[in-house]
């Protein structure tokens, strides 16, 4: 939108969303209590904070305490974008299932609910769902939401990579013949992803640690030069170790 990120109000919530406070993102401004992100964002919108105003909240926190605040914001038709980071688990505190998790146990057969249906029941008219690992699609969804008046909800839905069986993951690598160094792209693979598996070498090119890469592919979508690809050849060595 051409806004200075330092002046955009992004409220965080309890859970994984507060990771957005850390570099390289440094975006989330608040982290007060469970479900507070949407209510605080509505308050900032009323205070005429220079827009857009964005609330970020995880799916488990949304079910626990985000729904009442969303109902209030929707009923007042506040200019607000809510981003629900839906990974189907309370991943920050031990990977407990949420009401939407399809998890079977010996004594429980789940009757999970749909997060989308709850958002719609809050009378939110503009809802979009996208896979966050597709960087460009998520960017388009956020752009449209922030430009549209009223309450807009973007559901970024993808399983938490930390729950995937490590031996089944296919890591990524940097093609040095494609990577033109940080001087050509301002380090987009690091600055827009913030993954601890990506490092900068002394030559200025990017490097991906094979044993820290979780195989989500987000860095590949962020690379402007298409220099990050799946490291299929090394997957066997990784599994054996």
């Amino acid at each position: 939108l051409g806004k200075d990120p330092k002046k955009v109000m992004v409220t965080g919530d309890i859970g994984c969303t507060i990771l957005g406070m850390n570099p390289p993102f440094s975006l989330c401004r608040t982290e007060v209590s469970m479900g507070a992100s949407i209510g605080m964002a509505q308050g900032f919108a009323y205070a005429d904070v220079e827009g857009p105003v964005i609330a970020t909240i995880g799916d488990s926190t949304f079910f626990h305490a985000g729904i009442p605040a969303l109902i209030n914001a929707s009923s007042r038709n506040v200019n607000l974008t809510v981003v629900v980071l839906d990974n189907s688990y309370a991943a920050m505190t031990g990977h407990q299932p949420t009401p939407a998790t399809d998890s079977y146990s010996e004594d429980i057969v789940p009757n999970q609910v749909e997060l989308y249906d709850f958002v719609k029941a809050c009378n939110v008219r503009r809802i979009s769902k996208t896979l966050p690992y597709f960087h460009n699609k998520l960017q388009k969804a956020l752009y449209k939401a922030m430009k549209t008046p009223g309450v807009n909800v973007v559901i970024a839905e993808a399983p938490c990579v930390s729950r995937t069986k490590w031996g089944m993951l296919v890591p990524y690598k940097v093609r040095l013949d494609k990577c033109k160094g940080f001087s050509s792209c301002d380090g987009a693979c690091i600055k827009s992803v913030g993954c601890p598996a990506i490092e900068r070498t002394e030559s200025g090119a990017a490097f991906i640690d094979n044993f820290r890469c979780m195989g989500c592919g987000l860095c590949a979508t962020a690379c402007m030069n298409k220099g990050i690809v799946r490291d299929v050849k090394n997957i066997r060595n990784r599994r054996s170790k």
Side-chain angles (χ1 to χ4, degrees), residues 41-173:
Q42 183 175 352
F44 284 121
Y46 282 155
D48 292 327
V49 171
E50 182 180 353
V53 178
I54 305 161
T56 60
I57 188 170
D59 55 320
S60 59
T61 308
F62 176 81
F63 282 120
H64 274 88
I67 296 173
L70 183 61
I71 292 174
N72 191 65
S74 176
S75 66
R76 300 302 177 186
N77 202 30
V78 181
N79 292 329
L80 172 64
T81 296
V82 179
V83 182
V84 183
L85 305 179
D86 182 9
N87 59 14
S88 297
Y89 282 90
M92 181 65 85
T93 56
H95 298 288
Q96 299 90 342
T98 75
T101 304
D102 183 12
S103 59
Y104 174 82
S105 62
E106 294 182 357
D107 56 340
I108 297 176
V109 177
N111 182 27
Q112 69 271 20
V113 299
E114 286 290 336
L115 192 149
Y116 183 97
D117 293 339
F118 270 88
V119 175
K120 189 175 182 180
C122 293
N123 204 28
V124 176
R125 297 182 178 88
R126 291 165 292 275
I127 314 168
S128 58
K129 182 188 292 188
T130 183
L131 181 67
Y133 297 142
F134 294 154
H135 189 266
N136 293 334
K137 289 185 177 181
L138 178 59
Q139 189 176 39
K140 290 178 181 178
L142 291 172
Y143 178 83
K144 184 177 181 180
M146 291 186 290
K147 291 279 288 184
T148 305
V151 176
N152 292 263
V153 174
V154 176
I155 302 174
E157 183 184 62
C160 180
V161 292
S162 64
R163 286 192 57 82
T164 306
K165 291 183 178 180
W166 191 81
M168 300 301 293
L169 297 168
V170 180
Y172 280 75
K173 67 177 181 179

Side-chain angles (χ1 to χ4, degrees), residues 19 43 93 110 131 136 162 167 200 213 222-223 226:
L19 296 175
T93 56
L131 181 67
N136 293 334
S162 64
R200 182 178 181 177
C213 176
C223 180
K226 301 186 183 302

Side-chain angles (χ1 to χ4, degrees), residues 188-238:
C189 60
I190 287 183
K191 291 185 177 181
S192 65
V193 180
C195 177
I198 309 176
E199 302 174 2
R200 182 178 181 177
T201 64
E202 294 182 358
S203 64
F207 169 77
I208 298 177
D209 186 335
N210 183 278
F211 284 88
R212 282 189 287 171
C213 176
M214 299 300 294
C216 70
L218 187 56
C219 59
T221 63
C223 180
M224 303 175 182
N225 301 313
K226 301 186 183 302
I228 300 179
V229 296
R230 288 189 179 275
D231 194 3
V232 179
K233 291 184 178 180
N234 287 330
I235 186 62
R236 292 182 180 177
N237 295 333
R238 173 170 159 150

